[in-house]
Structures are given as C-alpha cells and as structure tokens.
C-alpha cells in the first residue's frame, strides 16, 4: 500500500499540494447510516484553519469543504466518501526565492534527492496544509466513535517551548487561540509568541491527546497493536519528533511496583499504561503525548546549499506559524480518531461474537485519567 | 492486513506462544541471491537469548533456528523464507497460579476481554519471547542492508532506570551483559540490578538505535513516512511506551534557529532531525530512542482481580527479566532493520530511475552522529 | 485495505456516484518525472465516453478531467495524483420510478441488504460510470509502461452476443463504434444492435485485451501472481462474469503435448499460457479475454419485488447501453495497464539487482501472439 | 503486501518448497473460540493427498499436519495459527536431469528470469504441492463458516479433458477417485486416464465449486468485490487458466431478458449471476467454475532450451499427476472458503450494525442452484 493511504478498514487517502488547486481525500470503510453533512467536517476544519489569530500563519483560507460522494439523503451510504478543499490564497510567487535553495529543517532536500526534483511552491506535498485532509477524515471518525461507542477525543497544548501549561479543564481549550486547557495563561503565551515573532525565530511544543470511553479490547497483537498504530499516525504528522503512550519516557525511571497499574473490582487504580496493555485497549482513557519541533521557516539567516550544491544563506519570509504545535491539537485528535475507528472495525470483525467476560464498571474505567492533566 | 504481519514489501509474519511447541516466522519479499544460512540468524538470536547473564531471565532456551524454505544452495531464492525456533524450556505448570488472576501491567486482562479467554501459559502470545521472530527477520534485513547499501545498524542501552549510561564506543556494547556502550559502568549496573532483584522489583530503560549509511530518499510521504513506520515498529515491541526520532522531546524547548539542521556543500552540520525530514531519509544517521517500561512481573505483592472479578493479590515468581530493556537492544536493531529494508525496496520500486541530483559527500553524511552518544 | 482502493504499489482509489456531483480518483505510487497532462487522461476518457454513437447510452457527459495534484511543471512529482470528473447530465428524477423496486441483474438488492439502504439514483456507486476513474488511472499506467518498457496495451470486441468478430487488424479498432478489430462487420453489428434496441432487450459480449512488450519476470508467486491480479482486476469491472488467460477454458480439452508452449533459442513457439507461467510473465504477449453479461437495464417487463418485499413488475427506461460490453474495451485495457504497472514496480523493488540470465530475442518474445486474433 | 500472503482480515501466509524440509502456513485473523484440532485440517489434507489412486502422483506423503500456535485447550485463541507439514518423500535427485533445462509449461523459465536462478528440485516454490497450505487454511475457514453461518462449500470435477461429467449428486463426489459428482462414470474415467498415462500425455479439467448458505451482503464495491477476490484466489491456483462466476462465458450469448435473474417474494428465480451482484452476495449459492490446463510434466519429448539458451529436448519422467485437475477440487473449495471468510469478517466490520431490510426466505435463497448441476 502506497504512502498516501492509511488504515486497514477505515482508510484515508489524501492528495493535494500547498499551492496547487485543491486538497482532497477519500474516506473508505465508514459504516453506513451515519448522519453526515459538510458542516460536520467544517466544524473541525475551522478549528485548524489558518488566520484565526495573529499567532498562526496569516494565509487566508476559508477551508470550505465539499463532500462529493458517499452520502445520500444526509446519511453515509457505506461507499467511499470523497471530499475537496480548494486552495484560495495560493501565492506561488512567494516561493520563487526559495525554489533554488534548500530550507533547513524542511523536506526540500529529501524530496529533491528522492524524486529528482520537487514542487517548490510552499513545500508542495510536504506542506502542513495537507492536514486539512486528516482533520476532515478525523471529523467523520470522531462523530461515529461518539455516537456508536460514546468515545470522546480531546487534546490540548501542554507545553509551548519551555513553558509548561498546566491542565485546568477541557472547557478552557476552546477559549484561547493556543488550545491551552488553562484560562489564566493566555496573556503570557501571547507575549511569548510576540517576542518569538519579533526575534524571527520559532519554538517547539507538546500536545496531549486523550480518548475517553474506549472499550477494552481494541488493538491487535503483535504488530498491529493499537499503540503502534497510534505511534505511526502521530509520527506522520508534520514536525512530530516523539510520541508517548501513558507514562511514556517517564517509565524509564519508574519501578515496576510503581508503573504497573493495579486493579480492583472497580477498575484500574492508575493509568501509567495510557489505556493500552499488550497492544490492546484496557477500557481506560487512551493517553498520547507528542513532541513537535519548532517551525523550520524562520526569518533568521541560516546556512544552506542551493540546487547546484553551492553554499548559500537563506531567510524564510512569507506567512508561517511561529509554532506549528499550536494548530496541531485538532490534527492530533483527528489522527487518534482515525486509528481508533480503524481498530473498532477491526475488532468487531474478528471478535464480534465475543462477550467480554468482565465488567469493571464502565464508570471506573472511563474515568481512567489522562496522563498530563 | 491482520496484526501478525508487518511491512509492505519486506513482510514479516509471526506465530507462536511462550509455552507452545514453537515460534516461527515467514519473511517475504527478500531479494534473491543473498547469501544466507541459519548461522546468520543464529548470531543475532544469540545476542537476544535468555540465560546469558544473571540479570536476565534464567529460562534455558538454545533458541536454535531452522530455516525451512526460501534458501537454496546457500542463497535466498526470492521466495518466502520460513523459519522455526522450538521452545525447549516451557513449563506450563509455573503458570497455574497466575491463570486465575490478571497480572498488573500485563496483557492478561486485555486479551481476556478481547478474545473471551486467554492462553495463560507465560503470557501466551503476549510474551516478549515472540521477539525471536523479529530478531531472526531483522538479521536477514541487516545482512542485506549491509551488503547492498553499506548500512550499519547498532544499538545500546542508554539508561537503566535512573542511571544514565554515557556513550563511549560501539566496541563496548558487546563486552558487557547490558549492551552498554561503555566499559566502565558494568560493575555499577550489576550492583543496581542485584539490588533490584533482591527487592523483588524491576526498572525501566532507554535504548538508542542508530542506522548509519542510509542513503537519502527512503520513506514515503505523507502517511508512509520512514519515521512513522519506525515509530510503529518500535512501539510494537513489548514494553515500549515512547519513541523519539532525532532530538525527540528535546525539540519542544529548542528554537527553530537551533533545531533546524543547517547544510553546507559537505553535508549537514547537525542531526536534530535524526536523519529524517518530511518522512524521507536525509543521508545522515537515522537515530531512534525508546522508552521501555519496567518489567511487570515482580515479586512484590500487587492488588488485582481474579477471573470472576473479585479482589485478589498477586506476587509473580518464576523466571523474569528484572529489566526487559536490557535485552531490547538487539530487538530494536532488528525492527529498525526491517523497516529500513522495507523502505529501501519501496523506494527503488517507485524511484528506481531517479538519479539523486546532489552528492553531499557520502562521508560527511554518513558521519551524521547519533543523538545520544 | 478497503474496497475502493486497489494495487500494492501503483494504487488507485476511487469515489463518486452516477448522479452525485463528481467522480474522482487518486493514483498513488507513480514514479516521478513522467510527462503528464490532463490531455493524456482525456484521450482515453474520450474513448470510453457515453453518447459517441447511437449504440451506447445517450447520457451527455463531456467527462472533462481536472488533475488536482501530483503534477508540477508538466511532470509527475512522485506524490499522489488526484483528479476529478464532474457529472454534468445527472438526472436524479429519471430514477424516481425505480427507487422503490429492485432491478433484476442490478446491485439494487445487494446494496440494500448490505448497507440497509441505497442511493437509488442511477445505481449510485454501482453504476458503470465509475469506470471513468479506472480509465483515467489506466491512462497514466499505459503512458508510463509505454515510455519506460515499450509495453503496448490494446483491446477489442471479439464477440457481440452470438456474433463472432474475427480479428483483422489493430488499426480497425478505432474506425468503428464497436471497438471491433475488423473493418467489414460494422454494418452487420449496427443492424444487430438496432434490432436489439427495438426489441427492448440487450446482449452480452466478449472483449480481448493484449499487452505486448511485457518483459519476463513480472508477477509474484504464489498468491500475488500476475494472472491472479489480472483476474481480480477484470472481474471487478461491472458486468464481467468470466476471465481467461491465454487458452483459458479451451485448455480443458487440450492435451499436455498441445498446450505446453515449446521453446527454442528464438523464443516460445506458441502462447497457450497467455504470457504467464507460474504467475510470472514469460516475455510473450499477455492475453486476456473477458465475458460481459448483457445489460441488466432493459425495457422488457421483468418480475421483481419492491422495498417492502412485495411482488412487482419493472420496465427500465432511461438511457442505457444495450450492450455494456461495447464500451468495456478501454476499461479492460486500463485495468490491465494498472495491474502491469503495479507488478513492474513490485518486480523492480525485489529483483532490481537481478540480471535476467537469458535473452530469447526480444522480437521473438514480443511477437508472441494474442489468443483470439 | 508481498506475494505469499493473501486476504485482508482472514490472512493466509505460506512458505515451503516441493523438496525442502517442510511446507507451513500462518492463518491470521481467525475469530477466537472456534473448536479446532489438527484432525480438522488433516481431514481436508487427506482429500488432497498424493498417492490415493493410480491416477494421481505416486509420491508418498502422509501430509501430517502439526498445529504450532493459536489454539489453546482445543479452541482458537484469536492469535496467529501456525502449522507445519513436513515433506517426507522428497527426492531431489529425480530432478538432476531437468535442472539444466526449462520444462515447457512450467515456471522454470520465468523463475529463472525473475530471480536470476531457481530451486530446480521438483519445481521448488512453483510446485502444486504448495496447495497443502491452502487446503489447511481453507479447512479452518470451512469449519468456521459452517458453524457460524451454516455455509456449505463443495466442489466436483465437471469435465475431464473432453469428457463432460454430469452432476448427479453431492454424495457421489467422495465415492470415486475423481471427485466426480456421478457414480456411473468412474470406469470410463479410469480407462481414459489409463490411456493418457500410456500415451505419456496429460489432459485439462473443469472443476465447479459451490458455496451454499452465504448470506446476502458479503463483498465490497468497487474493487474489493466478492467475485473479484474469488477470481484472484482461483487464478492463483496452479494450472488454472480461466474462472467463471454464475453463467460465466455463457453470458455472452444470453439476452438481458434471459440472464437477469428475476425476483419474487420467495427469492430469485434463477442464478445466472452465480450469487453475486455488484460484487456483493445475493444470498443465493455462490457458483464458480475453473479451467485447469493439462499437466505440463509429460513423458513425450518436447522442444526446449537449456540454461545456456541452447536448443534441447526434454522428457519429464518422475511422479506426476496426468491431470492436475483431479486433485484440484479440495483446493478450489479451500480457496473459496478463505475468500468467503475474509469477506464475512470484512462485512461485519463495516456493516455489523445493519439489519438487512428484506428476508426473502432463507430457503428460497439458499436453494439457488449451482450452475453446472
């Protein structure tokens, strides 16, 4: 299977470039009968949209999505759902200057070496704008998971550069332009971003994502593990350099007597495992944490080479997010939703006749808390 | 594709349980003409083998591998390579006591909920002993990558619990039972492990893996990224809870002016990206770091429930690694080898006619250093 | 992998319904550097287009294709090629009458039972109009196979109902509205079709497709055989009920001494095997033959049931091909092209370093004749 | 996915060569809880076994199967089922004579050109002995389909060379060494085979396979059609050159008014479509017919070339089936079972919540008759 499709049963195929006519996607495998309209996708796309605050790229895109197939009379038909998002504010000329040089931290060099040449307009296929497809596909998965299993998937910005952002409440997330789960830190974060922009530099970020209500039993040993598929999905997001499930890297310093989540008839007593044991969901919250590298496009001059291999210097102007991590929250939620939906379908394919022997009290299990809050 | 096969073109299929008659695997897609004998697999299996020091499980297994197909006259034929490793020291009775209870941190509960019941003998399919298959498959990939492209894949234990193990040299790795790239710390690590064993507890670990000599251009945007596939492969290893590529989570606090690897006509000046940009290899070393959780089987009593959902207490005796991370080094190397080989084949399928426009000096690129050394 | 994508490395994903806004597709895995424009796809789409003669459906569609991604500066970039064909002459109202009944021979009943309901507008997803996607994807494959390997893929109508159409020359195929490889039979075929249309009935057809210039070595034992993948691709075309490779069903009555193609230093002496032995191409022409059932939509009254399961009668008016086989020739060519391209890529992935030991004289091999001419 | 694995959710992976140590397979995706023992596989393997009559190869193989994993306490656990069949009567020396020449009709030439060299011992990987894996995997699928859905899969030899063998009853099939569904023709068939053997020649065959009890709704539009997957599975069997579903090639001469299966509240009135419409099962019997070419290994001298490309003559002695079609019946049944099981799982993954709106009377549907009886 080639690189622009992912998923075994809930399959997402993506196409499009930053400054081409459009992005589009095909979602295949969605169960029939799900109430679905363009507005369901639009709602999530609007959360990811550029230009919503001064802290993200100022590119003007309405990101209006058109559903082209797979929905009839307001419900999914079970056939392939095609959708399209036209690019509106493509400015190919902005990129003339950089077409001749490789931008450090970008995929310019690797695409050129792999394919022999590249579409230099705004990163072409490597642009993070491709994530519109992920968010649209994730919106469908989120809706189905919520309606069918009561699964709720939410994320937030946990660190902005060196600044930790304590989790206060989910309600806070949509009240600020940073997806911070914290109402009191917006001013500080704004100041931090303003200073960064003035300096012509960028910073990294940590995003946490949590899925609550996931039933026990999703995931396949030994390679098709739920956590393995989540890791791939997250690492495939532009700029992600690290993925943790549950206690993640903190596990290294834990003792077994501390890490191993004890159980009672009411459920698990902790969630170091992040809702996954042996690659299979436990019924607790699935907790994932991502590291996003700082935006590669910065105004500060950088050493590089040109297409002929000669030494050069580059300053990347144009419209860029000073911290790509800020807009990553809805994207990470979408990827988690797609993976979970894929595994929900895979699980009921093989184990549709199994009656899980134990009921630990849905409540206890579902309250398994996310790691970072 | 079901959960016990991975890879698109270099495909590994695995079967077997800890206390069943045997483990086995099928490697499909290996190019023809590779000189291969059982000894090539055995060499790597022996590095992973239990019972090699007092710091790992005392289970006695020769892990002798038999190649059953795909090799004729000492060379791979291009057809499926089947191999078998018989279990010799299976002691199903050891597990009678735990058959009725769920061991915290293990997959006992999730397998039971998913499948309705489970094979309780030593973790059944969830046992880390399944990694013999990975190591055997990885041995083939390592050999081919080395002979065909000069790729060298090595790993080492970078942290044992709270103890950091500074990288000194690759030569040190095979000189001690910990895969430490450091000759001076063995005594300290032994003491640490002895204390842990006496306490009936366990600890986590960090393993670093590095592939040098990977040509630029391997990996497929946008979902089939090289780093995404590496993340999945690593997260699918038992006990892994986190994966980093390049600077990993340290990226969060980096500035763009610090993280973005500058280039000169002689190559990259740093390797924060871990040898992957935009999902495609840069020609630098591919650097990966893993967090392994502490062994779940410990002697200390833990709260749990039994098959009927009643409160219970469990102490896991038997033969277990007090730190599963110790034997993870050859496993992580194997998984990295399999992913790289898969992408080597995928790359030449699509881009076999491409002449990479730039030559940054193989040396400079290959010297791109691993992150942790 | 879900049902709307096919191919391992040359992957085609399709979406769209007969009376929805558009059809579209994504071709993933195409090598970079292929000169490609919309006109390359359009040329093939125009061969398949409705309304080109009075013997096919009178639906008016320009079938104008728009390439949305994957091509830059006139060449494929190696990334996903998205394309769109808008529906122009959708007349949902034509189908109001049949929405309440299941048309015999159609997928109305099976879609309803599978998905719980169906899009009744012109067959929805089951419409043969979906083949625009196949033809567009096949056009890319044809072009690449021709330029890279000199492979030429052509087809023709070999039987129209009970009428055999002797092969005269390839040149004849585009000189008549039937894709007959015969210049003298057009008048007779026209008369036959007119009579059929007057009778309100339909007929079946046989289409032969031949790929010349295929190198020896494409195809993978034992399940991923070239002929197995061709069989699937052909049987996936609407209305196809049978597939033959080489001598096909005539093999049953052949003796081994007659069927087994003898070899000389100049090449094979016959081609009963249709260019495939052991699932791998021989270097001869790959010859395929298809049976297409008669169009299910006919004016004659038929017994059926309605959505409530009650007995009913149905007469299908509207715009239909009286023989769907007529327009199947470019579709079958396209499917053969996609499969061959997929295997070309798969072959060079695994066997890119193999130098085929024998050279039977390209000419002799390439002259391996198709079965039916 | 590489060539030695097939299926999306019910995955079969195969390895082994005719004169290597063993054949083996891995069945992945089987639902947990199915009662399964080696005897279930053995029963089907014994039907396919060589040496059961003088009309098939006299190679002496017990074909004893060992299950190595995936079954605990007599039931499938849901994890990978590994199994092994050791080769016992391998006689590599029989093949010394043919190692230097390409046998007409065999894969010798194509394997050599693809891989650069080949395992010449009895056809190596291309040997029809590989079908032991298929039959074992099919035995599991058959058992599950029968127990879970009441699906019954049976096949018979319908033509032996030019001799048609009228269908009398299913009971007859196991009463003769030909899998003829006819008790009166055994003597004639034996005479025909004896004459063929005396002449040193071979003949082709037709095998029909029927699955009764398949519910409506299995199969995925538009490429993952049930009939497309059946076609691939059948064409992947050694020696198969043609596949038909339902009326197959007879459809060409049918009128639409004759072919389109009418419906009544009691079910379909005919089954020209072979139980599949639009790629989805109708609830009628799924009927498949195969053409098998004559055995390529014959005693009569044939023109060929040697490894150096020089003209040569070859006579194939050794132990061969004079008609490979005779033993193909259990193999074709097995492949049909695997495909149906895969689609049963795929269907309930996506459509597990759908209540099929109509009930045509299971009886009426299930009595949908096979084509050839």
């Amino acid at each position: 299977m080639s690189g622009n499709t992912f998923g075994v049963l809930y399959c997402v195929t993506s196409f499009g470039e930053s400054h081409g006519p459009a992005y589009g996607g095909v979602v295949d495998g969605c169960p029939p009968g799900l109430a679905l309209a363009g507005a369901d996708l639009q709602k999530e796309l609007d959360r990811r949209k550029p230009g919503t605050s001064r802290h993200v790229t100022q590119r003007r895109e309405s990101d209006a999505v058109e559903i082209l197939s797979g929905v009839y009379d307001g419900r999914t038909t079970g056939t392939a759902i095609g959708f399209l998002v036209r690019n509106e504010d493509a400015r190919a000329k902005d990129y003339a200057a950089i077409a001749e040089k490789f931008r450090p931290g970008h995929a310019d060099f690797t695409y050129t070496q792999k394919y022999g040449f590249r579409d230099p307009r705004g990163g072409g296929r490597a642009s993070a704008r491709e994530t519109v497809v992920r968010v649209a596909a994730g919106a469908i998965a989120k809706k189905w998971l919520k309606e069918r299993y009561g699964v709720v998937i939410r994320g937030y910005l946990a660190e902005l550069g060196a600044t930790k952002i304590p989790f206060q409440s989910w309600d806070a997330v949509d009240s600020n332009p940073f997806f911070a789960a914290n109402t009191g830190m917006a001013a500080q974060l704004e100041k931090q971003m303003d200073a960064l922009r003035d300096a012509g530099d960028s910073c990294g970020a940590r995003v946490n994502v949590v899925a609550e209500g996931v039933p026990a039993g999703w995931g396949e040993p030994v390679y098709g593990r739920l956590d393995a598929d989540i890791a791939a999905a997250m690492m495939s997001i532009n700029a992600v350099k690290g993925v943790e499930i549950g206690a993640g890297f903190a596990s290294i310093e834990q003792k077994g007597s501390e890490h191993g989540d004890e159980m009672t008839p009411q459920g698990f007593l902790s969630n170091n495992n992040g809702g996954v044991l042996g690659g299979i969901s436990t019924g607790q919250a699935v907790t994932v944490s991502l590291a996003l590298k700082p935006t590669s496009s910065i105004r500060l001059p950088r050493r590089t080479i040109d297409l002929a291999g000669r030494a050069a210097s580059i300053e990347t102007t144009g419209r860029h997010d000073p911290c790509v991590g800020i807009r990553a929250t809805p994207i990470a939620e979408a990827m988690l939703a797609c993976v979970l939906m894929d595994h929900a379908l895979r699980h009921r394919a093989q184990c549709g006749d199994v009656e899980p022997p134990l009921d630990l009290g849905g409540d206890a299990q579902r309250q398994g808390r996310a790691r970072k809050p």
Side-chain angles (χ1 to χ4, degrees), chain A:
Chain A
M1 200 161 67
S2 221
N4 294 285
T5 296
F6 80 98
V8 173
L9 293 181
Y10 185 76
C11 290
V12 180
T13 299
S14 159
F15 65 87
E17 287 102 33
S18 182
H19 293 255
Y23 279 95
V26 188
V27 166
D28 197 10
C30 183
L34 176 71
L36 193 74
D40 295 309
L41 281 63
Q42 200 63 55
K43 190 180 57 180
E44 292 288 335
L45 286 168
D46 288 349
R47 294 178 68 214
R48 191 218 74 100
K49 206 165 66 171
T52 51
S53 81
R54 72 174 185 276
H55 308 297
V56 297
T57 171
Q58 295 306 302
R59 182 167 168 170
R60 296 288 164 189
E61 293 286 353
S62 64
D63 280 358
V65 68
E66 179 188 16
I67 293 181
L68 294 172
S69 69
V71 177
Y72 176 69
D73 210 12
R75 287 183 297 160
T76 57
T77 59
T79 60
I81 303 170
F83 56 87
L84 208 65
V85 175
R86 292 271 171 189
N87 291 324
E88 296 166 353
D89 190 18
R91 300 187 195 166
K93 65 177 158 38
D94 277 16
Y95 295 94
I98 58 162
E100 299 300 312
K101 300 174 192 169
F102 301 111
R103 295 168 299 167
H106 274 287
D108 299 347
F109 175 71
T110 54
Y111 271 63
T112 302
Q113 291 294 80
K114 182 178 188 70
Y115 298 119
F117 75 113
R118 75 180 204 273
D119 174 352
R121 302 166 302 165
R125 183 66 180 150
S127 167
R129 188 159 163 67
E130 184 275 332
T131 55
V132 292
V133 177
R134 303 169 187 237
V135 169
I140 302 171
K142 264 186 170 180
K143 191 167 198 286
W144 186 80
L145 286 165
K146 177 85 179 299
E147 296 186 5
R148 180 62 183 79
Y149 290 101
V151 173
V152 174
I153 297 169
R154 292 179 290 198
Y156 60 97
L157 189 75
E159 300 178 24
L160 181 70
T163 309
K164 314 275 189 251
I165 309 171
F167 180 90
Q168 282 183 339
S169 77
W170 288 115
D171 291 340
V173 174
D174 285 331
S175 73
N176 64 80
F178 301 100
F179 297 94
N182 186 304
T183 49
M185 290 189 68
Q188 176 186 340
L189 298 174
E190 301 221 338
K191 212 157 79 183
Q192 183 180 340
M193 290 307 292
D194 289 341
L196 201 59
R197 206 165 40 243
D198 289 348
D201 214 336
S202 62
C203 73
R206 179 192 287 270
V207 167
N208 289 350
V209 208
V210 180
E212 289 167 297
V214 175
W218 293 0
E220 288 185 53
V222 296
Y223 304 128
R225 280 173 150 93
L226 180 59
D227 40 0
D229 284 355
I230 291 172
M234 295 302 167
M235 198 66 94
S236 82
I237 298 173
N238 308 51
V240 171
K241 301 304 291 182
V243 183
E244 297 179 305
I245 307 287
F249 280 87
S251 308
I252 298 173
E253 302 200 11
Q254 287 179 318
K255 290 283 193 305
S257 54
E258 177 189 1
H259 179 94
D261 302 307
E262 292 182 299
M263 304 177 74
T264 72
Q266 286 72 47
F268 288 89
L269 295 176
S270 56
N271 190 13
N272 284 299
N273 280 300
V276 188
L277 282 171
I280 300 171
S281 62
T282 62
Q284 296 173 280
V286 174
T287 64
V288 187
S289 191
L290 315 182
L292 291 113
K293 71 178 187 184
T295 309
S296 299
S297 296
I298 55 175
R299 243 177 32 236
L300 294 174
R302 307 283 289 158
R303 275 174 294 180
T304 188
I305 57 173
D306 65 14
L307 288 184
R310 292 168 305 210
S313 177
I314 192 163
E315 299 165 33
T316 313
T317 54
R319 304 161 300 173
H320 301 286
D321 293 272
C323 173
V324 287
I326 293 178
R327 289 201 289 145
T329 295
I331 301 162
E333 291 172 15
M335 293 307 280
L336 184 55
C338 290
V339 172
L340 286 170
M341 182 158 181
D342 193 34
H343 275 283
L345 300 177
R346 288 158 75 172
H347 175 66
R348 74 183 194 183
Q350 188 186 18
C351 299
D353 297 323
V354 171
E355 191 66 42
L358 283 104
D359 180 359
L360 294 199
D363 273 7
Q365 287 203 53
R366 287 199 189 95
Q367 281 161 13
R369 303 298 301 274
R371 170 192 174 210
K372 290 282 148 38

